[in-house]
Amino acid sequence: MQKNLKRPEVLAPAGTLEKLKVAIDYGADAVYIGGQAYGLRSRAGNFSFEEMAEGVAYAKERGAKVYVAANMVTHEGNEKGAGEWFRTLRDLGIAAVIVSDPTLIAICAEEAPGLPIHLSTQSSATNYETLEFWKKQGLERVVLAREVSMEELAEIRKHTDIEIEAFVHGAMCISYSGRCVLSNYMSLRDANRGGCSQSCRWKYDLFDMPFGTERRSVEGKIPEEFSMSAVDMSMIEHIPDMVENGVDSLKIEGRMKSIHYVSTVANVYKAAVDAYLESPEAFEAIKDDLVDELWKVAQRELDTGFYYGVPTEDSQLFGARRKIPEFKFVGEVVAFDESTMTATIRQRNVIKEGDIIEFYGPGFRHVEASVENLRLAETGEKIDRAPKPMELLLIDLPSKVEPGDMIRKSGAGLINLYDKSGVAKTVRA
């Protein structure tokens, strides 16, 4: 390991207990989840206390931590019961709560002593004076606002020793640190109390409105309707900057994303941290592979957010996509019999005889194969196509795979829709 460099925590999202286990298996040092109160993802698979207890036990056995997001903005009455709720989290062994509202912070500190508090990105911490303020209130960590630049991050680190958590991957909010009321107006769902309907990602018409005349729609004169939708953040190529500037936790967004996403992104960022701490040369040697891997699960195009300047119109989703994933998640390995080189897989999407598939596992392992001798696990009946989700199947493989490995199918979409000149192309993967 390079001298004097602290290993940052890879912090992954976990919208369900299954995703929690997958994230940890694939390299996450910690996960953050939501409970059934006080969070901002009402549609995520939020955890019951029983599920939290199981998740904490699973994480502890593997040297990982579980944090709970309690980052809603409270209106009158929303804080009722918070003290008991925080005490329960503490007693379950939750490593910290992520909070933005000063009322909830005060209740947690007073009524659940011993439960560490992290300041949520919703609080828009953008300077070291703010971090020092929260340190004096007893908080252990601050999640920086996503609007902080790398230059500002470096300056913040020089002036405070409180732990810094910073986003490195996932969706960007068009509003400042997620504090938006667009959803409230458009769908009567309060974004700051867990109900965001992502109105910014809807399509909107544009109007030409000359002074003193009736407005006219410009429909058909532009490639698509207007939206405020931002591309996703990806800092995988800039992990050296995050490590060198003393970031304590690299945060991945996406509690509502799939196990395909969670496993891939946790795997990639763990590999990136390991490689850079070994040496800059080791990181450079695998950097392109890391980027390619992330594109296999990219939901939108990728950019670096505000880290290296204010995003331009190129960081917004206008027109046809320039690139989309080439792979589709199709299953996971349940068991592998080395004597027969047969894998038992649980199918998630349609898989067919002859499909080219890729197995990937923790530690950035990859095995490519074609689907050969596809059959039903229960009866051994040979089939040409398996369309039923969660069905157990058998396939023969030339190489060993491990239980828990995920399976992708290649050639599942359109790629590189624009060349460098901006001319539209259609290329099937």
Side-chain angles (χ1 to χ4, degrees):
M1 179 184 291
Q2 298 184 68
K3 294 181 179 179
N4 303 320
L5 287 180
K6 181 180 179 181
R7 172 180 290 277
E9 168 188 86
V10 174
L11 177 56
T16 65
L17 187 58
E18 179 189 31
K19 294 174 189 176
L20 178 152
K21 294 177 179 180
V22 166
I24 293 171
D25 289 346
Y26 276 76
D29 302 295
V31 296
Y32 63 101
I33 67 176
Q36 295 179 340
Y38 310 111
L40 284 184
R41 289 290 183 270
S42 61
R43 290 177 292 158
N46 293 318
F47 284 59
S48 66
F49 290 139
E50 292 77 14
E51 290 172 322
M52 285 185 189
E54 184 177 344
V56 168
Y58 190 88
K60 187 175 181 179
E61 289 173 2
R62 292 156 180 80
K65 298 178 180 179
V66 179
Y67 307 137
V68 172
N71 49 352
M72 72 178 292
V73 174
T74 57
H75 288 231
E76 291 297 336
N78 291 153
E79 77 288 352
K80 291 180 179 178
E84 181 180 356
W85 191 74
F86 284 126
R87 284 193 298 273
T88 302
L89 299 190
R90 178 195 62 190
D91 296 343
L92 285 172
I94 294 298
V97 287
I98 307 167
V99 191
S100 65
D101 193 301
T103 296
L104 292 180
I105 290 173
I107 291 172
C108 183
E110 181 177 345
E111 300 197 33
L115 177 60
I117 303 172
H118 297 172
L119 187 73
S120 168
T121 189
Q122 307 294 129
S123 290
S124 305
T126 56
N127 56 76
Y128 71 83
E129 292 91 344
T130 296
L131 272 68
E132 282 291 289
F133 170 84
W134 287 110
K135 177 184 173 183
K136 291 175 182 176
Q137 310 311 309
L139 274 65
E140 295 188 359
R141 178 185 292 184
V142 168
V143 187
L144 294 181
R146 272 173 272 196
E147 295 77 23
V148 171
S149 69
M150 188 60 68
E151 183 179 359
E152 290 171 326
L153 192 159
E155 192 69 13
I156 289 170
R157 179 74 290 169
K158 289 177 185 176
H159 290 89
T160 181
D161 61 358
I162 193 172
E163 288 187 7
I164 291 175
E165 185 176 304
F167 278 92
V168 293
H169 198 90
M172 291 286 289
C173 183
I174 201 67
S175 132
Y176 206 95
S177 292
R179 295 184 298 181
C180 179
V181 295
L182 189 62
S183 175
N184 303 51
Y185 283 105
M186 302 300 292
S187 60
L188 301 180
R189 285 167 48 177
D190 191 341
N192 295 294
R193 286 192 283 177
C196 181
S197 59
Q198 300 196 45
S199 305
C200 60
R201 301 203 187 276
W202 300 355
K203 303 295 184 181
Y204 294 90
D205 201 355
L206 284 177
F207 294 90
D208 181 15
M209 299 178 66
F211 181 75
T213 61
E214 188 175 347
R215 67 183 185 180
R216 298 190 299 270
S217 169
V218 296
E219 183 178 358
K221 299 179 184 179
I222 54 175
E224 68 170 327
E225 295 87 356
F226 173 75
S227 84
M228 293 164 273
S229 189
V231 301
D232 286 357
M233 175 195 290
S234 176
M235 287 292 288
I236 192 61
E237 297 181 75
H238 306 282
I239 290 303
D241 283 349
M242 307 301 286
V243 176
E244 296 286 348
N245 284 310
V247 174
D248 296 280
S249 181
L250 307 177
K251 188 166 193 172
I252 299 162
E253 183 275 339
R255 275 192 285 149
M256 296 176 66
K257 300 287 181 64
S258 68
I259 61 171
H260 182 209
Y261 173 91
V262 170
S263 58
T264 299
V265 180
N267 212 10
V268 166
Y269 279 91
K270 176 65 160 55
V273 169
D274 287 347
Y276 186 68
L277 290 178
E278 179 184 334
S279 70
E281 293 76 18
F283 175 77
E284 287 297 323
I286 67 166
K287 185 171 70 174
D288 289 345
D289 291 336
L290 299 174
V291 173
D292 290 344
E293 189 80 357
L294 287 178
W295 269 109
K296 295 175 183 179
V297 295
Q299 301 294 303
R300 306 176 183 95
E301 293 179 48
L302 303 174
D303 198 9
T304 55
F306 287 82
Y307 280 116
Y308 301 103
V310 177
T312 67
E313 65 275 9
D314 292 332
S315 297
Q316 305 300 308
L317 294 175
F318 297 119
R321 292 187 61 176
R322 292 181 287 275
K323 188 173 182 179
I324 68 174
E326 303 174 49
F327 288 77
K328 180 181 291 184
F329 177 49
V330 294
E332 60 199 302
V333 177
V334 175
F336 183 74
D337 186 339
E338 287 193 63
S339 64
T340 61
M341 297 299 286
T342 300
T344 303
I345 66 173
R346 180 180 291 110
Q347 183 246 21
R348 299 278 185 150
N349 275 301
V350 175
I351 188 170
K352 304 187 297 294
E353 182 82 10
D355 279 343
I356 304 301
I357 56 176
E358 177 188 70
F359 295 82
Y360 69 93
F364 215 55
R365 292 184 291 103
H366 294 79
V367 172
E368 289 191 355
S370 63
V371 176
E372 303 290 346
N373 198 17
L374 179 64
R375 54 207 187 275
L376 299 175
E378 185 176 1
T379 64
E381 177 189 353
K382 186 169 173 55
I383 56 175
D384 294 326
R385 184 174 184 272
K388 299 177 181 177
M390 306 305 288
E391 193 165 42
L392 290 178
L393 307 170
L394 299 174
I395 57 173
D396 295 341
L397 293 175
S399 304
K400 180 181 177 181
V401 294
E402 300 284 348
D405 285 358
M406 302 291 174
I407 311 167
R408 303 184 182 110
K409 181 169 68 173
S410 63
L414 297 173
I415 59 172
N416 297 325
L417 299 182
Y418 279 75
D419 65 16
K420 292 181 180 180
S421 69
V423 177
K425 290 185 175 182
T426 302
V427 182
R428 289 206 171 270

